[in-house]
């Protein structure tokens, strides 16, 4: 039996080419389409979330600093009170001695001198005693003033803490009001432990330094803030090495400012499907890592799998529009302070 191969341009070759093309199309259709993350929600919502989160972080830093100052002042006051008690006893002895000797005591002491040299020695000793007693009285006055100032400062710090607690309560209400647009209530969250990230640099007072989009973004051709780069490197060092995209020129939110990143749940990139199995577990672990290290890295909020975490609200339900990208079921979004 002789097999005849189809000639180029013949009908059998055309049918074969069509069949191959159909097979390729079917195979390609089985591969999830790639989709650039779409954060969902309105610009007003994103701005409100950012404002509430920033205000919370600032108030938390002020509260922490105030408590630190109060602790230092309390320690100082205790030391001053010990010194005050000692000086009070010393000045009391001086007063008692003056009462026993009477106002003519020093004169009588000089008159009892039996020689000019003894008279001079007694006069010098009396002068030294007067200077010593006067110094004790002055020290007592100064220490009392220091103690009073410390008490006033402690009262001021307590008032500052009450003020910041009030600010935190107001910011929580503001965040919850903003979330009402996309949230139906509390979320279950993604519990568990995680590695501790190395802290990002802070100002001497503990606040976050103001940063711009000033360093190269290794995930795109754009820029990100130094703190965002630190978060990215720490996350990758702690095992989260799947595809990441940070800077985005268009849209609202923190991406154009270089203060946000999207971590794909799937190894190959942003698949336009809801993550399941190992991909879902990867996203759960990453969201937990970012939440647990928020205060070390400067995380403002995290969105993953229809939930959003903010420091003043905890996990809340989140609905971005229904698609895997908008609902963040195919990637973890993190916005930085």
């Amino acid at each position: 039996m002789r097999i005849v191969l189809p000639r180029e341009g013949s009908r059998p070759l055309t049918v074969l080419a069509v069949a191959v093309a159909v097979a390729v199309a079917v195979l390609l259709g089985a591969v999830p389409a790639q989709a650039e993350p779409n954060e969902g929600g309105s610009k007003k919502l994103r701005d409100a979330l950012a404002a509430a989160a920033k205000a919370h972080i600032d108030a938390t830093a002020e509260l922490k600093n105030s408590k630190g100052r109060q602790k230092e002042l309390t320690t100082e006051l205790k030391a001053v009170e010990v010194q005050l008690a000692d000086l009070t006893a010393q000045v009391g002895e001086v007063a008692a001695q003056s009462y026993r000797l009477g106002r003519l005591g020093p004169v009588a002491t000089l008159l009892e001198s039996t020689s000019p040299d003894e008279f001079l020695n007694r006069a010098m000793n009396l002068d030294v005693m007067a200077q010593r007693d006067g110094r004790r009285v002055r020290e007592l006055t100064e220490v009392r003033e220091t103690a009073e100032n410390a008490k006033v400062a402690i009262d001021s710090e307590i008032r500052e803490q009450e003020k910041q607690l009030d600010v935190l309560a107001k910011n929580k209400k503001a965040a919850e009001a903003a979330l009402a647009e996309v949230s139906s209530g509390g979320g279950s969250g993604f519990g568990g432990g995680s590695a501790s990230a190395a802290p990002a640099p802070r100002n001497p007072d503990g606040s976050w330094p103001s940063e711009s989009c000033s360093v190269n973004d290794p995930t795109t051709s754009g820029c990100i803030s130094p703190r965002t780069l630190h978060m990215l490197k720490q996350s990758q060092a702690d095992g989260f090495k799947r595809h990441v995209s940070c800077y985005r020129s268009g849209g609202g939110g923190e991406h154009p400012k270089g203060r946000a990143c999207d971590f794909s749940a799937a190894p190959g990139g942003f698949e336009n499907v809801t993550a399941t199995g190992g991909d879902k577990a990867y996203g759960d672990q990453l969201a937990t890592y970012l939440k647990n290290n928020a205060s070390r890295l400067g995380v403002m909020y995290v969105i993953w799998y229809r939930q959003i975490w903010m420091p003043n609200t905890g996990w809340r339900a989140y609905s971005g529009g229904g698609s895997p990208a908008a609902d963040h079921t195919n990637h973890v979004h993190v916005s930085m302070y």
Side-chain angles (χ1 to χ4, degrees), residues 33-35 242-244 263-272 279 330-331:
Q34 300 295 306
R242 295 185 178 181
H243 180 71
V244 187
F263 294 75
S264 66
F270 299 112
E271 297 180 356
N272 194 26
D279 294 348
N330 70 344
H331 74 282

Side-chain angles (χ1 to χ4, degrees), residues 190-198 234-235 237-240 281-297 299 302 309 315:
F190 309 95
S194 59
S196 294
Q234 286 297 301
S235 301
D238 286 325
F240 301 101
Y282 177 86
D284 290 352
Q285 293 167 5
L286 175 56
T288 299
Y289 172 84
L290 294 170
K291 173 255 182 185
N292 289 349
N293 287 285
S295 62
R296 297 185 183 92
L297 299 175
V299 171
V302 180
W309 178 88
W315 287 107

